[in-house]
Amino acid sequence: MTMKPAPFKYFTPASEEEVLALLTQHGYEAKLLAGGQSLIPTMNFRLAQPAVIIDLNRVSGLTYVRPGDSGGLCIGAMARQREGEYHPLFAERAPLIRETMPHVAHPQIRNRGTFGGSIAHADPAAELPAVMLALQARFKLRSREGEREIPAGDFFVGMFATAMQPEELLTEILIPPLPRRSGWAFKEVARRHGDYALAGAAAVVTLDEQERCREVRLVFLSVGDGPVEARQAVQELAGEIPGEEAIRAAAETAAAIDIDPGSDIHASAEFRRHLARVLAMQVLHQAFARARRA
Amino acid sequence: MGTTYIGQPVLRNEDERLLTGQALFTDDVHLPGMLHVAFVRGEHAHGRILKVDASAARSRPGVIAVFTAEDLGSYWQPGPLLVPPPPIERLTFHQRTQVPLAKDKLRHYGEAVAAIVAESRYLAEDAIADVIVEVDPLDAVVDMEKALEPGAPLIHEGLSSNLAAHVIQEKGDYHSVFPGADVVIKKRLLYDRGTAAAMENRGVVAQWDAAGQQLTVWDTTQAPIPIRNGLARMLGLSESQVRVVAPFIGGGFGPKIMMFYPEEVLIPWIAMQLKRPVKWIEDRWENFFATTQERGQIHEAEIALTADGHILGVKDVFVHDTGAYDPYGLTVPINSQCTLLGPYNVPNYYSEFKAVFTNKPIVTPYRGAGRQHGVFVMERLLDFAAKELNIDRAEIRRRNYLSPGDFPHNHQIIYQDFAPLVYDSGNYAPALDKAMEMIGYEKFITEEQPRLRAEGKQAGIGIVSYVEGTGIGPYEGARVTVEASGKVCLATGVGTQGQGHFTAFAQVVAEQLGVEVKDVRVVTGDTREFNWGTGTFASRGAVVAGNACHAAARMVRNKILKLAGEILQASEEELILEGGRVYLRNAPQKAITLGDLAARANPLRGAVKPGSEPGLEATAYFGPERGCTASGVHALILEVDPLTMMVEIQRYVVVHDCGRVINPMILEGQIQGGVAQGIGNAFYEQLVFAPNGQLLNASFMDYLLPTASEVPNIENAHIETPSPLNPLGVKGAGEAGAIPTGALFAQAIENALREYDLEICEIPLSPNRLFDLLGERVKQNIEISISHE
Ligand SMILES: Cc1cc2nc3c(=O)[nH]c(=O)nc-3n(C[C@H](O)[C@H](O)[C@H](O)COP(=O)(O)OP(=O)(O)OC[C@H]3O[C@@H](n4cnc5c(N)ncnc54)[C@H](O)[C@@H]3O)c2cc1C
């Protein structure tokens, strides 16, 4: 019935300033085009019919990956997802992202898809938003009015919804350095290799000198309207020595209390809860093991 | 004569064109002034159409015309019944075929309501939203069993219920078995299938040349000649005025044999109305509604056996979901009914089915065409019996195989080709032995499985048998011509959708004419090149068209030897035809090339002998008296993750008997592709319909096709039991890979999860479904897994 997008106006700005001017002018009518891997299919299905497309692919200075302050990492919004696998800075400074990347779609899609696009799109089944939350990333947003920085925790506000204003552009993702004695892990269950997951979990943990939990973050994907932090489970672990019993109990709490998954044709809420419990145990187990070795 | 090419893995003639982008597909046809069509499709599965108002669409810039059912006048007719029901006594069949555009009622989601013709596809799609379709929604019939309950909404007025057909076939007397039966097993089994999802969707391009009074149609059909014949009739043209080309096609798998699709009826008519070329290319979303599918059957099946595992009889009563219309007659359920008997000796059989209309897309054959359902029922019954009687799964099959001396074997029921179900030949035990050896059946069960279990790994093995009725009539033809270049042209009527016809047919001809395979140019699927034929379906290309190629090549061979004998003044016994020339056995320097012979056979001056024909050319037809029965054994080792219910296939073995093999490389490709579709059917693909008849997963985002990561490499072996029904001794192989996979998968999963005492009575499965079947017990696995770490 449809495979071609509805009519739209197309702009190819060369600089951030031009983008911001176009955004101010067209606001709600406009959509930014990054890798197009989510936007173009929805346009071809005519689920999205933006009147204006602002193509970011010719904007200079948005594709970088560079060291941030004191061991952190700065990622330009238009850096392709593929960099996450191969750019040495990821291995060095954000190994959790590197470990996650192969689960995001397929190589062809990661060649086009961008970090900014995935984060701005805020698909509740996407990996990167959950990982950003686990890493306490911060996002730089620019508009004609100025620039602001917003933590991942305040950015994702619901199903495909973010705290960005229509005239704002996401320009940079800042990944803070991990403290000493930290560990991380990511796992997901997907029907086929490269599919959006039925459920997934990311964990970032830090131990103190006595091997007790100093900080734990456990974030799920595909079990809610966005990335879901397991707050209650994490509290149970605070200050504890994370043995198998404690991990098991935390995973129980996470699956039973912290999440409220929905049902769809691929997985019932009950199955998702079960998977979340399994994954929580696996990622906590692995993250603590890494932290102990660190 | 020794074989030079038959049986060899000759590289494919067509691959160079395909791999370098030189092959013409329907969407590659670009004509000056071409218009584009988009369809307005109904958004209810069941409803009365109150109004279709296209006036706003008609006045949109760029829109040339909009056609609704009213606009078609007398051209609006329900489609033909493609396959009438076979001659079975006491058979009930209600014919209800699809219409070009829905007029008074919508009977499944996505039925076409209006055709918008515009200067581009973009503009045509823009106008879809302009067309107002007012519908009074009716309750949808989705559940095939509820469809038959009194008070169910009626899909076709004029019928007293949603019953489409009722058929009983019997052999022996099932009720006579009870006195001798030591065990009777009764199960309710459910088998659902999905959509073929060919890589290329359907498409039609039509061009009416008013000056030449010629209609040319490019169509992704598997049956170009019947489409030509039907179009000529509908449009009031002579068959010679209509040329249908089925160019390269990105996969057929059965749904493209269906005819006439509404779009095939409409696009040529629109081209004639508007006197401009018209193109319609189906998009993937449409393909989920507008292209036919296969679907569910629910079987109540029963098997009676002796204590040593011999089958006394089988009783099976099932419901078959035929969708909103039944243009393909009873082929799918009859295949289920007949294929259930498998390679086994079943002395008594009672089989009864009801086909029902539902508010879902139309059901017609898709690779396997109902055979999966039958194989699933029989193989599951044997598995349950083996368990009950404590007999090994492979052994219970072996005990019931027909033996080589039993052929031809008459099952005494009627098959889809209207002839009695008679197996021409077969030899089943060697395939079973070979498969067991290749997969290491005994060793896996006695050594590997216990070791893997000790490591906490739930690995399982499966092994199943099946037969495949193939190569049915009525006939196909071929014309072989040796040209003055010394090269050969071969034309046949069947269309080609990736089966390697350009090579397999060329091998058959090259073998006879002593030329290289690459020097045989094969033309298929163009009605201007060959006038007679039916199409590519039922694993019949190699059998029926292949033997026609063989017969025509034999005739040309005789002409070559006769003429060469006259020229070289030698008897035919003294001649050798080889390497593109004919020479004397005892004096190889006395020779003449095929090119020279072709020129001599078609002189520009002088006389052709009275009673002879010019050229080195012959046309031949082949029509088998009935189909031939291929068979095989599939074996599988898989592992189930006890925490996530994800399944990984470790090994997959196919031992297959399709008689004489023409090209083992092409055959392996067919098997590999079939198994991929079988795996999809078993664990990934499912069409999910909401209670209102809406399809909930009409895209590749949610309809999960297995990809290269999910499909293992298939390990193949062949057993050759030549068919006595055709000179080449071949049997079909197109569907073999896809047929037993569901049954195999179910058995292997049960075996992997042995301690849960699961009974799997349904396909498709999914991780979620396994989770539901295992229930609370999965959750306990978490404890187990921790203790393993
Ligand atoms: C087959 C397939 C499988 C996939 N599987 C997965 C998967 O498993 N996991 C997963 O996470 N994703 C998956 N994706 C989605 C993929 O990761 C996309 O690349 C990603 O979601 C969007 O990134 P993009 O650069 O392509 O953005 P686009 O599609 O170009 O844009 C997406 C949205 O973000 C907005 N946007 C883009 N850049 C900016 C910016 N700088 N500032 C503000 N707004 C912006 C756009 O306006 C648009 O609304 C899959 C996609 C496909 C086609």
Side-chain angles (χ1 to χ4, degrees):
Chain A
M1 196 154 101
T2 74
M3 56 181 175
K4 309 287 187 200
F8 57 85
K9 278 208 195 104
Y10 176 70
F11 295 96
T12 54
S15 68
E16 280 181 43
E17 281 61 38
E18 283 176 52
V19 174
L20 299 179
L22 285 163
L23 278 174
T24 311
Q25 192 185 340
H26 298 288
Y28 279 102
E29 297 244 276
K31 273 277 176 200
L32 297 167
L33 174 67
Q37 298 302 301
S38 294
L39 181 58
I40 298 291
T42 51
M43 287 173 66
N44 286 352
F45 280 130
R46 299 197 179 213
L47 296 171
Q49 304 198 2
V52 173
I53 288 291
I54 305 169
D55 189 342
L56 297 178
N57 285 278
R58 279 164 228 182
V59 177
S60 58
L62 276 178
T63 59
Y64 57 86
V65 176
R66 63 182 175 228
D69 299 337
S70 56
L73 186 65
C74 301
I75 308 166
M78 284 297 287
R80 306 289 162 178
Q81 293 162 5
R82 198 76 165 138
E83 304 264 22
E85 287 161 273
Y86 294 114
H87 198 296
L89 278 177
F90 280 90
E92 208 177 282
R93 294 170 177 242
L96 175 60
I97 296 180
R98 195 178 105 126
E99 181 159 294
T100 304
M101 260 9 265
H103 297 283
V104 180
H106 312 275
Q108 294 89 331
I109 289 157
R110 297 196 291 274
N111 279 337
R112 295 296 305 163
T114 63
F115 277 88
S118 178
I119 288 163
H121 192 54
D123 189 320
E127 289 81 3
L128 283 176
V131 165
M132 293 299 148
L133 213 54
L135 290 172
Q136 294 191 304
R138 302 176 66 79
F139 305 136
K140 253 189 207 161
L141 306 178
R142 270 191 77 184
S143 72
R144 263 279 181 75
E145 313 293 296
E147 187 174 277
R148 60 177 177 140
E149 228 180 82
I150 179 169
D154 295 340
F155 183 82
F156 300 105
V157 298
M159 182 89 70
F160 299 107
T162 70
M164 261 190 304
Q165 296 303 309
E167 63 283 350
E168 278 182 315
L169 169 71
L170 170 60
T171 56
E172 186 179 85
I173 298 131
L174 298 129
I175 311 289
L178 286 181
R180 284 187 56 245
R181 294 183 68 77
S182 290
W184 72 91
F186 179 87
K187 279 206 167 22
E188 69 173 38
V189 176
R191 288 299 316 271
R192 300 170 303 184
H193 187 83
D195 270 345
Y196 280 110
L198 299 180
V204 175
V205 303
T206 308
L207 294 174
D208 65 15
E209 299 305 321
Q210 283 76 45
E211 306 253 308
R212 286 181 313 227
C213 293
R214 212 178 84 190
E215 216 175 326
V216 183
R217 280 184 307 281
L218 173 63
V219 187
F220 293 104
L221 53 116
S222 278
V223 296
D225 286 349
V228 182
E229 276 202 77
R231 297 219 165 82
Q232 177 94 19
V234 160
Q235 260 173 32
E236 287 177 13
L237 285 170
E240 297 287 320
I241 294 193
E244 289 303 347
E245 260 324 302
I247 289 177
R248 188 196 312 254
E252 288 274 5
T253 303
I257 295 170
D258 285 322
I259 61 170
D260 185 14
S263 291
D264 62 29
I265 62 169
H266 301 298
S268 66
E270 203 197 342
F271 187 40
R272 284 209 159 88
R273 247 187 233 288
H274 166 76
L275 292 175
R277 195 175 105 184
V278 170
L279 291 166
M281 278 189 13
Q282 293 175 340
V283 292
L284 288 172
H285 182 84
Q286 189 176 15
F288 282 121
R290 280 177 168 154
R292 275 184 222 108
R293 281 200 303 271
Chain B
M1 195 180 68
T3 65
T4 318
Y5 300 120
I6 292 188
Q8 300 300 316
V10 180
L11 291 182
R12 304 201 320 167
N13 278 346
E14 55 267 58
D15 284 346
E16 188 178 335
R17 281 175 73 192
L18 286 164
L19 295 173
T20 57
Q22 304 301 306
L24 181 92
F25 291 83
T26 301
D27 199 18
D28 296 328
V29 177
H30 302 286
L31 300 165
M34 191 161 76
L35 298 171
H36 299 262
V37 170
F39 282 94
V40 179
R41 295 185 181 276
E43 295 183 5
H44 296 84
H46 199 191
R48 218 165 286 291
I49 299 177
L50 303 176
K51 187 175 94 178
V52 181
D53 178 356
S55 48
R58 287 192 175 105
S59 56
R60 179 183 273 268
V63 171
I64 304 297
V66 180
F67 297 99
T68 66
E70 296 304 325
D71 301 318
L72 300 184
S74 63
Y75 191 65
W76 188 96
Q77 295 289 336
L81 179 65
L82 183 47
V83 185
I88 296 169
E89 277 176 47
R90 291 171 298 159
L91 173 147
T92 309
F93 178 70
H94 300 295
Q95 172 181 343
R96 290 293 183 277
T97 56
Q98 71 289 348
V99 297
L101 290 169
K103 193 181 255 176
D104 45 0
K105 222 183 151 184
L106 292 170
R107 295 192 175 85
H108 70 79
Y109 191 90
E111 250 190 298
V113 176
I116 298 171
V117 193
E119 294 288 352
S120 78
R121 176 71 181 238
Y122 289 88
L123 293 168
E125 289 187 9
D126 289 347
I128 289 176
D130 298 344
V131 178
I132 298 161
V133 183
E134 261 178 42
V135 175
D136 176 17
L138 300 169
D139 285 342
V141 180
V142 175
D143 181 308
M144 69 179 118
E145 290 181 307
K146 289 196 184 130
L148 289 176
E149 285 173 5
L154 267 189
I155 296 170
H156 295 284
E157 288 74 9
L159 293 180
S160 58
S161 77
N162 292 315
L163 182 79
H166 184 199
V167 175
I168 297 173
Q169 293 219 70
E170 261 181 291
K171 168 191 186 184
D173 174 11
Y174 178 73
H175 295 283
S176 73
V177 305
F178 289 107
D182 295 308
V183 46
V184 176
I185 288 165
K186 194 172 170 166
K187 295 287 168 199
R188 180 180 159 88
L189 298 151
L190 210 134
Y191 201 97
D192 200 357
R193 293 199 69 208
T195 180
M199 202 184 295
E200 184 192 12
N201 291 326
R202 290 182 302 122
V204 184
V205 179
Q207 180 180 37
W208 171 244
D209 169 8
Q213 294 286 295
Q214 283 286 332
L215 177 70
T216 307
V217 178
W218 291 262
D219 185 354
T220 53
T221 182
Q222 293 172 239
I225 293 171
I227 292 282
R228 188 266 322 264
N229 299 348
L231 277 179
R233 202 165 51 241
M234 284 185 263
L235 295 166
L237 299 171
S238 153
E239 286 175 11
S240 67
Q241 287 177 285
V242 183
R243 176 186 176 199
V244 174
V245 185
F248 276 97
I249 294 174
F253 309 120
K256 288 177 184 160
I257 191 80
M258 206 328 252
M259 55 179 264
F260 277 79
Y261 277 108
E263 301 86 356
E264 283 171 325
V265 175
L266 291 168
I267 302 299
W269 181 83
I270 292 173
M272 289 181 74
Q273 295 294 309
L274 301 178
K275 300 189 171 48
R276 283 177 71 176
V278 177
K279 175 188 270 190
W280 167 73
I281 299 296
E282 183 184 56
D283 64 45
R284 184 56 66 182
W285 190 80
E286 288 181 292
N287 184 266
F288 275 96
F289 309 102
T291 291
T292 58
Q293 310 166 342
E294 262 200 45
R295 195 153 306 120
Q297 292 180 356
I298 297 173
H299 291 248
E300 303 280 353
E302 199 175 305
I303 188 168
L305 309 98
T306 61
D308 62 358
H310 283 105
I311 301 170
L312 295 170
V314 173
K315 179 182 177 189
D316 180 36
V317 178
F318 68 98
V319 186
H320 167 77
D321 181 350
T322 193
Y325 303 95
D326 57 1
Y328 217 99
L330 297 175
T331 301
V332 173
I334 296 266
N335 271 346
S336 308
Q337 187 167 58
C338 290
T339 310
L340 184 145
L341 294 168
Y344 308 114
N345 186 6
V346 181
N348 299 285
Y349 183 40
Y350 176 90
S351 172
E352 172 176 358
F353 71 80
K354 286 180 177 155
V356 299
F357 292 115
T358 58
N359 290 117
K360 292 184 236 166
I362 304 170
V363 170
T364 72
Y366 153 40
R367 200 175 202 170
R371 295 178 182 88
Q372 279 89 341
H373 305 73
V375 169
F376 183 71
V377 172
M378 186 60 152
E379 294 300 303
R380 291 278 63 204
L381 288 176
L382 283 174
D383 290 336
F384 297 136
K387 194 168 169 191
E388 176 91 19
L389 295 169
N390 202 16
I391 300 174
D392 174 75
R393 285 167 285 163
E395 180 56 26
I396 198 166
R397 288 170 167 82
R398 184 192 308 278
R399 284 187 197 169
N400 286 289
Y401 280 159
L402 294 166
S403 45
D406 292 341
F407 298 94
H409 182 79
N410 189 343
H411 273 304
Q412 300 166 31
I413 56 175
I414 301 293
Y415 191 46
Q416 59 149 315
D417 61 353
F418 299 8
L421 180 65
V422 176
Y423 294 178
D424 58 316
S425 59
N427 189 8
Y428 305 132
L432 182 68
D433 292 338
K434 182 85 193 161
M436 288 172 74
E437 178 202 316
M438 283 170 73
I439 201 133
Y441 185 79
E442 300 294 344
K443 184 159 184 252
F444 181 82
I445 288 176
T446 54
E447 292 172 34
E448 283 167 42
Q449 198 171 30
R451 179 177 58 75
L452 289 166
R453 274 173 187 276
E455 292 170 19
K457 292 190 174 149
Q458 314 256 185
I461 193 166
I463 191 158
V464 297
S465 299
Y466 65 99
V467 298
E468 180 196 356
T470 74
I472 59 172
Y475 77 95
E476 288 299 335
R479 183 182 65 246
V480 172
T481 312
V482 179
E483 297 178 355
S485 60
K487 297 192 178 176
V488 178
C489 181
L490 163 65
T492 172
V494 300
T496 192
Q497 305 87 39
Q499 296 91 339
H501 291 157
F502 297 90
T503 312
F505 293 163
Q507 282 175 261
V508 169
V509 169
E511 181 95 16
Q512 290 300 324
L513 301 187
V515 296
E516 295 207 22
V517 175
K518 67 175 172 42
D519 287 335
V520 180
R521 179 168 178 272
V522 178
V523 183
T524 74
D526 183 344
T527 60
R528 196 176 62 185
E529 300 280 344
F530 202 84
N531 209 22
W532 300 93
T534 51
T536 310
F537 57 93
S539 302
R540 68 192 289 277
V543 181
V544 188
N547 276 289
C549 295
H550 175 75
R554 293 286 303 174
M555 287 159 72
V556 172
R557 178 185 174 84
N558 289 338
K559 287 189 179 186
I560 290 169
L561 292 176
K562 185 156 179 282
L563 183 60
E566 285 165 15
I567 292 167
L568 299 174
Q569 297 186 324
S571 74
E572 288 178 26
E573 292 71 50
E574 291 172 87
L575 298 176
I576 304 269
L577 168 53
E578 192 178 87
R581 55 188 210 129
V582 183
Y583 60 86
L584 261 63
R585 188 188 309 273
N586 296 325
Q589 72 283 6
K590 287 192 74 178
I592 183 163
T593 65
L594 283 185
D596 286 345
L597 279 169
R600 296 280 285 265
N602 183 23
L604 288 176
R605 296 290 183 276
V608 170
K609 268 197 193 158
S612 69
E613 294 163 357
L616 297 177
E617 179 174 286
T619 300
Y621 296 89
F622 181 76
E625 60 185 279
R626 57 171 183 271
C628 43
T629 306
S631 62
V633 174
H634 288 205
L636 161 75
I637 293 175
L638 52 70
E639 205 178 302
V640 185
D641 182 327
L643 294 177
T644 63
M645 297 292 111
M646 295 288 147
V647 173
E648 202 178 296
I649 295 176
Q650 312 283 6
R651 288 186 62 202
Y652 200 116
V653 167
V654 176
V655 181
H656 182 244
D657 186 348
C658 59
R660 192 155 167 231
V661 175
I662 297 174
N663 184 325
M665 181 193 71
I666 290 177
L667 176 59
E668 282 171 22
Q670 285 284 326
I671 303 278
Q672 174 85 39
V675 170
Q677 285 179 318
I679 289 171
N681 177 210
F683 199 60
Y684 294 96
E685 300 176 44
Q686 184 160 29
L687 297 164
V688 185
F689 292 93
N692 68 359
Q694 191 118 344
L695 181 55
L696 296 177
N697 54 344
S699 90
F700 284 163
M701 231 166 87
D702 287 317
Y703 184 82
L704 308 182
L705 290 174
T707 70
S709 324
E710 287 75 44
V711 181
N713 264 322
I714 313 302
E715 301 162 53
N716 277 284
H718 310 295
I719 305 276
E720 294 199 16
T721 312
S723 173
L725 296 181
N726 64 74
L728 286 173
V730 299
K731 302 174 181 178
E735 297 164 275
I739 292 172
T741 319
L744 179 67
F745 202 82
Q747 191 198 89
I749 295 262
E750 266 180 20
N751 185 245
L753 299 171
R754 216 169 32 183
E755 58 271 46
Y756 296 91
D757 234 3
L758 267 189
E759 274 197 354
I760 294 181
C761 294
E762 67 194 57
I763 287 289
L765 298 167
S766 68
N768 200 149
R769 185 65 191 138
L770 288 176
F771 175 77
D772 289 344
L773 288 172
L774 294 183
E776 286 304 308
R777 292 176 292 178
V778 185
K779 298 184 185 161
Q780 291 150 19
N781 284 337
I782 294 189
E783 326 291 321
I784 302 168
S785 84
I786 286 183
S787 59
H788 277 295
E789 288 211 21

